[in-house]
Amino acid sequence: MILGIGSDLCDITRIEKSLARFGERFTHRVFTEGERAKSDRRSTRAASYARRFAAKEACSKALGTGLRAGVFWRDMEVVNLPGGQPTMRLTGGAAERLKAMTPPGHEAFVHVSLTDDPPLAQAFVVIEARPTS
């Protein structure tokens, strides 16, 4: 069953300007250490950060909270499964919200789709609950 759906569209140019203006103050406030390491290695650094920014916004919408009710930027981390597929690792308030919205006897899965076509980056997040066997 689908527990939540979220989408977001992010202007890569806006992220580029934030990186130039605020630098580490911006990246350390919004992104985890792993996300910063991955994005900083990319030749398209701003686009990489923009995709992750959009994913965090989409995830907060799928959780039904937005960035409030104890859900913070770094509680949601874009990570890749062994095959490269993106997903979200939730901690803190985001993990608590996911646990609260998952019905008993079910396990939650977070599906993520990321793309960009400059100047825009886009993310979709679907939270699914599957019965545990």
Side-chain angles (χ1 to χ4, degrees), residues 37-95:
K38 191 159 197 156
S39 292
D40 287 340
R41 288 193 307 262
R42 302 264 192 238
S43 61
T44 55
R45 182 175 180 246
S48 179
Y49 275 118
R51 286 189 302 271
R52 285 163 175 72
F53 189 92
K56 290 168 181 276
E57 286 276 6
C59 185
S60 72
K61 292 171 186 176
L63 290 169
T65 60
L67 289 158
R68 62 184 191 290
V71 175
F72 300 100
W73 289 109
R74 288 178 290 155
D75 289 348
M76 301 168 285
E77 179 180 20
V78 177
V79 295
N80 295 90
L81 297 174
Q85 177 184 358
T87 188
M88 302 292 291
R89 178 183 301 137
L90 303 182
T91 60

Side-chain angles (χ1 to χ4, degrees), residues 15 18-19 22-31 49 53:
I15 298 299
S18 293
L19 290 169
F22 302 109
E24 285 187 356
R25 198 167 99 209
F26 169 64
T27 59
H28 282 73
R29 180 173 159 255
V30 176
F31 302 98
Y49 275 118
F53 189 92

Side-chain angles (χ1 to χ4, degrees), residues 91-129:
T91 60
E96 290 174 21
R97 172 66 183 148
L98 181 63
K99 183 179 178 183
M101 65 191 288
T102 304
H106 288 73
E107 182 179 2
F109 292 86
V110 182
H111 304 279
V112 178
S113 179
L114 305 173
T115 191
D116 67 78
D117 187 8
L120 299 173
Q122 185 175 34
F124 289 96
V125 172
V126 176
I127 301 175
E128 173 192 15

